[in-house]
Amino acid sequence: MLLTRLQSILVSNLVLIGLLISSELFAQTTIDSSRPLSVAVNQTSYPYHFQDSQGLAAGIMVDLWKLWAKKQQVELEFVISPWQQTIDKVKSGTIDIHAGMEQTPKRNEFFSFSAPFFELNNYIRVQRDLVNLTSVEQLLPFTIGVVAGSSHVEQLALLHPKLKLRQYKSRFALYSAALAGEVAAFSNLDKLSENYPRYNDLQLQFPAYKRVLFAQGKYVAAVEKGNQALIEFIEQGFNRISPQEKVAIEKKWLGVAKKNDVLTLVFTPELPPYMAISPSGKPQGLFIDIWRFWAELMGVEIEFVPQSMTDAIEVITQGGADIHIAYPENDLANANLSAAQQIYAVASNVYLPNHMTKLNRLSQLAGQKLGVLKAAPYLQGLKKNYPQIQLMTYRHYQDMIRAAEVGAIDAMLGSVENMQMELSLANLSEQYYSFERSPFISPIYALTQKDNSRLAEIVRDGFNLMPVEKLIEIEKRWLSQPGDGYYQMNANQVTLTNKEYDFIAQHPVINMGINRDWRPVEFVDQNGVVQGINIDVNRLIEQRTGVNFTYTLFDSWNEMLSALQAKKVDVLGSATPTEERKKSLLFSDTYWDMPWVVIHQRQEGKLSSIKDFYGKELAIIRGYHLINKIRQHHPNVNLRLVDNDEEGLLAVKRGVVQGLIENIATASELIGRESLVTLDMSVVDEFNVDQNSFAIRNDWPELKSILDKALLSITSNEQQQIYEKWFAINLATGLDKDTVLKLSAQIGIIILVIIIVIVIWNRRLYQEIKARKSLEAKMKHMATHDELTGLANRVLLKDRMMAAISFHKRQSLMLSVLFIDLDGFKNINDTYGHDVGDELLVEVAKRLKGCVRQSDTIVRFGGDEFVLLLTGLHRREEAGFIADKVLKLVQQPFELSKVEARIGCSIGIAIYPEDGTSESDLLKEADSLMYKVKMSGKNHYVFN
C-alpha cells in the first residue's frame, strides 16, 4: 500500500514537471527572448505615442512601455510608422505590440487586447466662428475630417451615419486641411498634437471650448489575434507598475493624473476684487474669471478651493491641490514650489487722511506710523529701506482701516483696488488721498509643485494663448480703474532694445521746440501751461517709453526749424518730411494726417481746386513746405508769406488776400476762436494730406526708433480721443428768454422795444450757432472722408490699418488690402467731362459697398483709385472671393446721365503678414501688384 502511494506521488510529480516544461516551452515559442519585442508607435498620436523633434518615440505610453520593459527585464524596439501601418503590421504579426489604441468591435476581429489603461474621450473640434454648435446633430451640414483607419471612422459611422466624413492619411494632414478650410470640424482625442508645427494656429482656430464629445472608449495595448500568452506577459508587467509610478508618468505629459483629470486650484478669498466668495458661496473675482477663461482655452476641468494665503502654500506643497492661482512672490523659500507663470501685477499705494500735509514720497513718512498687511510682498523691503518709518502690521484690510479711523496709525499702504473697495465699503473714500504714483508694483504668480514641470508648461501655454482683448474685457468687469489694469497697461507698453534703453539713460530729458501760439497743434494757455495735440501725443509716448519731454518756446515755425538744425532743440512735432529736410534731419513715422484747407469768405462758395485761386493771392505761414510746391506747380497763385496765423487771418478779413492756407485742425481752431461765421474753408484736391511726423536731430537715430515704436502703440481710440478733444468748434451763447420776458412785463413799452431787438438778435445768434455746428460736423467729416463719394479717405485708412494690424498680430489672423484702379475711367472722364466722371465714381462707390462686410473699410484713395481693407481673414482665398465679386460688379454697365458707361478694374492684393507688417508696406505691395495687372492685360486681380 505504501509502494502504491509512492508510485501515485511520483506520477503526479512527473505530470506536474511535464506541464511546467510544456508551459515554459510554449512561452519561449510565443515570446522570443533572443530578440527585442517590437512596439508599433504612431507618428502623431500625441500625447500617447508620437515622434518627437529628434525623431524618437515619445509620449505617455512610450514611457510606460519603457518602465514595463524594465520590470519584465526584456528589451524593446519602438517602430515609428503612420497610423494605418501600425494597424496593419500588428495585425499581420510583423510587429509584436501596438503601443496603444482604442478598443472597438471591429478591431476585436483582428487583435487581442490588454486590460484598459484608462478611459478615453473622443471629440469633434469645431472652427471657432461657427456659433451655437453644441451637439453632433448640429454638425450634419458640415464635412468632418477624420484620420483614415482610426477608431473615429468606425465610431462616427456607427453612431452618426448621416455625418459627411472626409478621411486623411495622418493627423497632421488632417490638421493642415482644417487650417486650409477644407473641413469645418475634425475628430480628435482630448488634446491636439503639440508637436504639430502650426499648433498655436490650430489651437486658436479650433479652441478646446469649441469641441463636442461624441464617444467614450477604453485605451488598450493590442497584439496579433490569439496571442494570449503575450497578452498575459504584458499584463504581468503592468501589474508590477505601482500607481505612484503611473501617476508620475501621466503628470509628466498631462500635468494631472489621467484618472482624475480635474485640476484643483486654490485661492485666497479675502482679496476682492481679485479673489472673493459671492453671497451664494461661489468663487468670484478678476483672477477667478481669468482662470476660468484659461481652463476654457485649454479644455480642462477645474475646481476652486478657498484657503488662507499660508494654508494654500501648505496644501500645494503636500499635493492636496495642483495650482495656487495668484501668489504675490516668486523667490519662494519653499523648495517644493515654483512660479509657473506671472499672471498679473498689482499696484500698491499709500493712503493718508486729507488733513495731513500733501505728501508724495515714502521718505516723507519718517517718524510716522504706517499700516501694512502682514502678507504684503514688499514688507521686508520697507523695513530695510525705510527704517525710520514705524510699521504696524495687520492681517486684514478692515483691521488696518479701523486702526486708521481711531488714530492708531497715520497712513495705510495696500493694493490700490483692495484699498479703494474697502474704503468705499467703510464710507471713507472722500476722507483719504493717495500718492500720485504707486510706490510698489507686485508681480503675481501661479504656483505649482516643482517636480510637475509639465503642469507649469501647460499653465504657460494657456496664458500665451489668451488674447489680450479678452483679458482687458475681464479687467473692465472687475476693476474700478480698468485703464490702469495690468493687461491694459501691458498692451500699451513699448518693448525697447538695450541700445534704446541706454540712450534714454544718457538722455533722460528730450528738449522739444514748441510754437507758443499754433492752436490746437501746440500752444501755451493763459496759465502758462503747454497744451495741444502734440503735447497729448507726447504724454502717451512718455508713459510707454520712459522718455521725458521738456519744452522750449518759439514765435514762428522758421525759428523752430533753425533751432533744430543747429541742435539747440532735439525734436519738433507736426513736421512734414520733405526731401530737402531729410538731408539734415531724421523723421519719425507719420502720427497724424491732416488735409490742407483754404480759409476764405463764405460768399466765395465751394472752392475745391487750387485753380479757383489762379490770379488771386493766398496767405501762408513763412517756412511751410507747401510754399515751394505751390510756386513750382501753380505759379498763377500769388503767395503772401506771413509770420503767424493772426496776420494771415487779418489779411483775409480785410480782403487783402483771398484766403489763408492752413491744416484743417488749425483752421477750425481759428474760426472757432474768432467766431468768424462769415468765413468758410475748402479742402483743395491738389494739396496732398499733410503727414505729421517728429523731426529729429540727425545724430540721434535711437530717438527715432524709440518714437516710431511708441507711435505704433497709439491706438485708433486714443487718436480719436485726442481728435475729439482738440478738433472742434464750441459755442456757448444766447440769452435767457424767460428772464427777459419777466423784466419786460415790469418795465413797459420802452423795454418791449428792447426785447424785440433782443429776440431778433437771438434769432440771428441761433442761426449762427446752427451754421457753426454744421461747419463743425462738416469739418470732422472732411478730415476723414472723401467729399465726393462719402467713403473713408487716406487719413481714416491709416488709422484703421494701424489698429487692424495691431489686433491681427495679437490674434495671429490675416488681413488683406485690395488696391483697385478703374480701367477705362480716364476715357469717360475726358470724353464726357468731370461731372460725368464724378457721377461714375459715386456709382462705383455704391457698388463697392455691396461687396464687403460692415467691419471692412472702403476708401477712395485718390482719383479713380480705391482701397478695400478686409479684416478677420482665415485664408487668402477669402480676399480672392471679394476681388471676384468686385470685378463682376464693376464690369456691369453704369447708367449715367449722359452715357451708359462700361469699365473694368485692376486689383492688387496684399496679405498681412505675408506681404508686409506695416500700413505703408501693405499699401506699397498692393499698389505694385495692381500695376502688374495693368501691364498684363488689366481687368483681373493678382496676389504676390
Side-chain angles (χ1 to χ4, degrees):
M1 185 173 180
L2 179 61
L3 181 60
T4 304
R5 190 174 178 184
L6 287 171
Q7 287 175 338
S8 176
I9 292 172
L10 180 60
V11 171
S12 298
N13 286 338
L14 288 173
V15 171
L16 180 61
I17 290 169
L19 287 171
L20 289 171
I21 291 172
S22 64
S23 176
E24 183 65 28
L25 287 172
F26 178 79
Q28 286 178 356
T29 57
T30 306
I31 305 168
D32 186 359
S33 59
S34 66
R35 65 174 179 84
L37 284 170
S38 55
V39 179
V41 171
N42 180 32
Q43 294 171 325
T44 58
S45 290
Y46 182 93
Y48 301 103
H49 48 97
F50 64 97
Q51 185 175 24
D52 67 13
S53 56
Q54 282 78 42
L56 303 175
I60 297 173
M61 296 309 302
V62 172
D63 284 357
L64 282 172
W65 281 111
K66 288 177 179 178
L67 181 58
W68 174 89
K70 186 177 179 181
K71 301 285 186 182
Q72 294 296 82
Q73 297 183 350
V74 296
E75 292 185 30
L76 291 181
E77 176 189 8
F78 293 106
V79 181
I80 303 173
S81 307
W83 179 258
Q84 190 60 51
Q85 289 184 26
T86 67
I87 296 287
D88 295 339
K89 289 178 180 179
V90 176
K91 187 195 307 183
S92 65
T94 308
I95 295 178
D96 299 310
I97 304 169
H98 196 288
M101 66 170 68
E102 187 172 1
Q103 185 175 358
T104 68
K106 188 174 182 180
R107 288 175 177 173
N108 283 333
E109 301 173 14
F110 308 107
F111 300 103
S112 293
F113 296 110
S114 70
F117 297 118
F118 34 69
E119 298 293 323
L120 198 65
N121 290 331
N122 298 291
Y123 296 94
I124 294 178
R125 291 253 183 167
V126 181
Q127 209 280 334
R128 67 178 184 186
D129 292 336
L130 299 178
V131 297
N132 299 323
L133 297 178
T134 57
S135 68
V136 178
E137 288 71 22
Q138 292 173 308
L139 294 170
L140 290 177
F142 304 98
T143 301
I144 312 299
V146 293
V147 176
S150 70
S151 62
H152 296 167
V153 177
E154 178 184 347
Q155 290 168 321
L156 287 170
L158 179 65
L159 299 172
H160 304 282
K162 292 183 179 181
L163 278 180
K164 292 180 288 185
L165 304 182
R166 182 176 296 172
Q167 299 188 33
Y168 295 87
K169 64 180 181 180
S170 70
R171 189 151 301 279
F172 283 9
L174 171 62
Y175 289 166
S176 297
L179 286 176
E182 293 179 22
V183 292
F186 59 86
S187 67
N188 202 75
L189 301 179
D190 46 358
K191 297 186 183 299
L192 299 173
S193 297
E194 291 186 16
N195 58 333
Y196 176 59
R198 295 183 61 193
Y199 168 76
N200 286 338
D201 292 339
L202 191 69
Q203 182 82 319
L204 286 170
Q205 290 299 316
F206 296 86
Y209 64 87
K210 296 286 289 186
R211 64 185 185 180
V212 179
L213 180 69
F214 71 86
Q216 292 179 302
K218 300 182 185 300
Y219 200 73
V220 295
V223 301
E224 184 184 5
K225 185 72 173 178
N227 195 346
Q228 193 59 33
L230 182 54
I231 287 293
E232 291 174 1
F233 188 65
I234 289 171
E235 292 189 349
Q236 181 188 66
F238 277 107
N239 288 335
R240 291 173 175 173
I241 297 175
S242 69
Q244 292 80 9
E245 289 173 318
K246 186 179 178 183
V247 166
I249 291 174
E250 290 172 354
K251 281 192 172 184
K252 172 185 173 182
W253 291 100
L254 302 175
V256 63
K258 183 70 179 171
K259 67 176 182 179
N260 185 6
D261 219 17
V262 175
L263 287 174
T264 302
L265 279 55
V266 294
F267 70 102
T268 304
E270 302 97 355
L271 297 172
Y274 301 109
M275 299 177 282
I277 294 178
S278 71
S280 60
K282 295 181 180 179
Q284 66 176 22
L286 173 64
F287 295 158
I288 300 296
D289 281 359
I290 287 174
W291 279 98
R292 283 178 175 143
F293 181 49
W294 174 88
E296 187 179 81
L297 279 177
M298 298 305 291
V300 299
E301 291 187 41
I302 58 173
E303 60 179 3
F304 292 101
V305 176
Q307 294 283 349
S308 67
M309 193 69 74
T310 51
D311 290 345
I313 294 298
E314 186 65 23
V315 169
I316 297 285
T317 303
Q318 299 299 324
D322 300 298
I323 303 172
H324 191 306
I325 69 168
Y327 191 78
E329 188 63 79
N330 67 335
D331 54 341
L332 296 167
N334 191 322
N336 292 326
L337 301 181
S338 65
Q341 169 81 11
Q342 182 181 345
I343 69 159
Y344 211 74
V346 173
S348 294
N349 209 342
V350 175
Y351 290 80
L352 307 100
N354 291 334
H355 61 77
M356 285 187 68
T357 307
K358 188 74 172 177
L359 305 178
N360 263 313
R361 296 191 304 275
L362 280 168
S363 58
Q364 295 173 318
L365 291 174
Q368 304 287 332
K369 292 180 180 179
L370 176 63
V372 63
L373 293 190
K374 288 180 179 179
Y378 40 76
L379 181 57
Q380 296 305 316
L382 267 175
K383 291 179 179 178
K384 179 181 178 181
N385 298 321
Y386 300 95
Q388 66 277 28
I389 299 177
Q390 298 181 50
L391 298 178
M392 309 295 291
T393 59
Y394 299 89
R395 185 175 176 83
H396 302 290
Y397 280 105
Q398 296 92 328
D399 299 335
M400 182 167 65
I401 291 173
R402 280 194 291 268
E405 276 192 278
V406 299
I409 55 177
D410 301 297
M412 300 174 287
L413 174 57
S415 155
V416 171
E417 286 291 333
N418 292 139
M419 284 296 300
Q420 288 179 346
M421 178 171 287
E422 295 296 344
L423 287 171
S424 176
L425 291 173
N427 295 317
L428 295 173
S429 297
E430 301 301 320
Q431 298 182 31
Y432 286 85
Y433 73 93
S434 60
F435 286 178
E436 290 182 3
R437 292 190 177 184
S438 299
F440 295 104
I441 306 294
S442 303
I444 305 297
Y445 295 89
L447 302 184
T448 59
Q449 287 187 322
K450 187 162 286 185
D451 59 358
N452 196 346
S453 59
R454 176 55 184 154
L455 180 56
E457 186 179 343
I458 291 171
V459 170
R460 289 191 291 271
D461 288 346
F463 275 91
N464 289 337
L465 282 172
M466 289 184 177
V468 69
E469 290 79 12
K470 176 67 175 180
L471 295 167
I472 291 172
E473 179 186 318
I474 295 174
E475 283 182 325
K476 289 178 179 178
R477 193 183 307 153
W478 288 103
L479 299 183
S480 62
Q481 298 178 12
D484 296 332
Y486 171 72
Y487 291 110
Q488 179 66 70
M489 297 291 287
N490 218 29
N492 295 334
Q493 283 300 308
V494 173
T495 303
L496 301 180
T497 65
N498 291 334
K499 192 173 182 181
E500 290 164 345
Y501 279 122
D502 290 341
F503 176 85
I504 293 175
Q506 294 167 13
H507 306 91
V509 176
I510 304 299
N511 186 9
M512 180 169 172
I514 291 291
N515 189 321
R516 67 173 70 248
D517 193 15
W518 191 18
R519 298 167 182 261
V521 179
E522 54 192 36
F523 62 96
V524 179
D525 67 14
Q526 63 271 22
N527 298 318
V529 179
V530 179
Q531 300 274 19
I533 293 171
N534 286 338
I535 311 308
D536 286 353
V537 171
N538 286 357
R539 288 195 184 102
L540 295 175
I541 294 172
E542 289 176 328
Q543 292 171 8
R544 295 168 192 187
T545 63
V547 166
N548 289 297
F549 288 99
T550 188
Y551 301 108
T552 299
L553 304 180
F554 294 88
D555 291 320
S556 71
W557 173 257
N558 258 359
E559 288 180 34
M560 290 198 301
L561 192 58
S562 299
L564 178 61
Q565 291 168 334
K567 297 183 174 61
K568 293 179 181 178
V569 294
D570 306 319
V571 65
L572 301 180
S574 294
T576 302
T578 65
E579 293 304 318
E580 185 62 30
R581 289 174 179 175
K582 287 179 181 178
K583 295 176 182 178
S584 59
L585 300 172
L586 299 174
F587 286 88
S588 73
D589 291 340
T590 301
Y591 66 89
W592 200 275
D593 288 354
M594 283 184 282
W596 287 100
V597 300
V598 176
I599 302 174
H600 55 80
Q601 296 291 341
R602 183 182 293 276
Q603 63 262 27
E604 296 285 343
K606 178 184 175 183
L607 304 170
S608 59
S609 172
I610 189 66
K611 295 177 182 178
D612 294 327
F613 296 97
Y614 277 8
K616 299 178 182 178
E617 190 170 21
L618 297 177
I620 188 170
I621 304 293
R622 198 183 310 274
Y624 275 11
H625 74 93
L626 208 56
I627 295 172
N628 291 334
K629 188 172 183 179
I630 294 173
R631 284 175 172 170
Q632 181 179 355
H633 298 289
H634 304 284
N636 293 331
V637 176
N638 299 317
L639 294 179
R640 176 185 290 263
L641 304 188
V642 296
D643 290 324
N644 52 54
D645 288 315
E646 281 70 21
E647 183 182 343
L649 202 59
L650 183 62
V652 175
K653 289 192 287 185
R654 293 180 174 178
V656 177
V657 295
Q658 277 64 52
L660 169 64
I661 300 172
E662 252 302 354
N663 66 66
I664 195 168
T666 301
S668 65
E669 168 67 25
L670 288 171
I671 293 177
R673 193 193 332 165
E674 300 292 336
S675 298
L676 299 173
V677 295
T678 59
L679 297 184
D680 201 349
M681 64 174 72
S682 295
V683 176
V684 177
D685 291 341
E686 291 85 354
F687 294 166
N688 289 331
V689 173
D690 195 29
Q691 296 183 327
N692 287 236
S693 301
F694 284 104
I696 307 157
R697 48 188 292 179
N698 59 8
D699 58 338
W700 281 5
E702 295 84 2
L703 180 57
K704 167 180 162 49
S705 63
I706 292 169
L707 294 179
D708 284 344
K709 289 179 178 179
L711 293 173
L712 188 60
S713 76
I714 298 175
T715 66
S716 57
N717 284 338
E718 289 169 327
Q719 287 183 327
Q720 186 66 23
Q721 288 173 4
I722 296 173
Y723 175 89
E724 290 176 354
K725 176 181 177 181
W726 295 109
F727 200 141
I729 300 175
N730 296 310
L731 254 183
T733 187
L735 298 175
D736 186 343
K737 293 184 179 179
D738 290 339
T739 302
V740 172
L741 290 172
K742 184 177 179 180
L743 290 173
S744 67
Q746 297 174 355
I747 299 177
I749 189 68
I750 297 176
I751 303 301
L752 183 60
V753 174
I754 297 175
I755 291 175
I756 293 171
V757 173
I758 291 173
V759 169
I760 294 172
W761 178 247
N762 256 356
R763 291 186 63 183
R764 181 182 174 189
L765 283 178
Y766 289 142
Q767 290 172 353
E768 291 183 358
I769 293 170
K770 186 176 179 181
R772 187 72 54 82
K773 295 293 184 182
S774 174
L775 177 61
E776 178 184 351
K778 176 183 175 183
M779 288 188 298
K780 284 185 176 181
H781 193 269
M782 283 165 53
T784 56
H785 290 78
D786 174 57
E787 189 173 2
L788 175 65
T789 63
L791 299 178
N793 64 12
R794 295 188 188 190
V795 177
L796 190 55
L797 174 64
K798 181 182 177 69
D799 286 347
R800 295 266 176 93
M801 286 189 69
M802 289 176 65
I805 288 170
S806 176
F807 174 78
H808 286 64
K809 181 178 181 181
R810 291 193 294 268
Q811 298 295 320
S812 299
L813 292 173
M814 290 191 297
L815 65 81
S816 177
V817 175
L818 278 65
F819 204 106
I820 304 169
D821 186 89
L822 302 183
D823 300 328
F825 172 80
K826 185 177 185 301
N827 181 53
I828 291 173
N829 197 51
D830 292 346
T831 303
Y832 298 100
H834 293 302
D835 289 343
V836 174
D838 287 352
E839 188 181 352
L840 177 57
L841 291 174
V842 170
E843 292 303 315
V844 170
K846 290 178 181 177
R847 293 191 184 183
L848 290 178
K849 290 176 183 177
C851 294
V852 299
R853 304 162 297 177
Q854 287 186 343
S855 58
D856 299 323
T857 302
I858 313 170
V859 177
R860 185 188 177 198
F861 200 71
D864 61 346
E865 294 176 332
F866 297 84
V867 169
L868 303 186
L869 174 61
L870 310 179
T871 57
L873 305 183
H874 303 300
R875 55 190 185 276
R876 56 192 286 154
E877 289 76 13
E878 295 174 38
F881 172 78
I882 298 298
D884 274 328
K885 195 173 179 181
V886 170
L887 285 170
K888 290 174 183 177
L889 284 176
V890 171
Q891 289 169 9
Q892 299 299 315
F894 290 85
E895 293 293 338
L896 306 179
S897 58
K898 295 182 179 179
V899 66
E900 180 184 272
R902 291 182 179 272
I903 60 172
C905 64
S906 301
I907 307 174
I909 306 177
I911 302 291
Y912 170 89
E914 297 174 16
D915 299 324
T917 55
S918 70
E919 162 258 339
S920 57
D921 288 345
L922 290 169
L923 282 172
K924 189 183 300 179
E925 182 65 24
D927 187 29
S928 174
L929 291 169
M930 181 271 292
Y931 276 105
K932 285 185 180 180
V933 177
K934 288 278 193 188
M935 299 298 292
S936 60
K938 302 181 180 181
N939 216 30
H940 63 282
Y941 67 86
V942 68
F943 291 94
N944 189 351

